[in-house]
Amino acid sequence: MAATLALAAGLAGSVQAAVMGRFGERIGTLEAVAWAFCLSAVIAVAVLVAFRRGLGGIGDAWTTPKWLWLGAVLGAFIVFTITVASPRIGTTATIALLVAGQLAAGAVIDR
């Protein structure tokens, strides 16, 4: 199941890069990124409420070590980067560089 989800996320990431690049060209890079995160937040909260029948432990995020919030910051950076890079260097080059960076960082992290 985890491998299937990872593969699906990889496919979705390539589509996301192409779509966000075009979206950024139409409404502006920062506007596209902001809209994407607003819509993502609405979807995430809806899924949380549907599966947890409430907001679950989302409030516990405030008491976790702040460095764990880096996941959200990096997510914003990734979406911003694909929105900027895709129309300029192409989706294939953007994803190739993204994957190369992920493989390098993953090797360091797993070490």
Side-chain angles (χ1 to χ4, degrees):
M1 174 79 154
T4 302
L5 281 173
L7 179 61
L11 295 170
S14 294
V15 173
Q16 180 187 30
V19 169
M20 287 302 295
R22 295 236 173 109
F23 196 35
E25 287 182 317
R26 289 215 176 169
I27 69 168
T29 299
L30 296 177
E31 293 82 358
V33 171
W35 172 252
F37 277 98
C38 287
L39 186 56
S40 294
V42 168
I43 293 167
V45 169
V47 169
L48 179 63
V49 169
F51 283 90
R52 298 282 191 250
R53 306 279 187 241
L55 293 178
I58 198 167
D60 295 339
W62 294 107
T63 61
T64 61
K66 301 309 176 238
W67 71 267
L68 292 173
W69 296 7
L70 192 57
V73 173
L74 293 173
F77 175 69
I78 291 166
V79 173
F80 172 78
T81 300
I82 65 171
T83 304
V84 170
S86 291
R88 288 166 179 78
I89 64 173
T91 303
T92 302
T94 299
I95 296 303
L97 292 168
L98 181 75
V99 169
Q102 288 175 326
L103 288 170
V108 170
I109 291 166
D110 279 348
R111 244 187 140 187

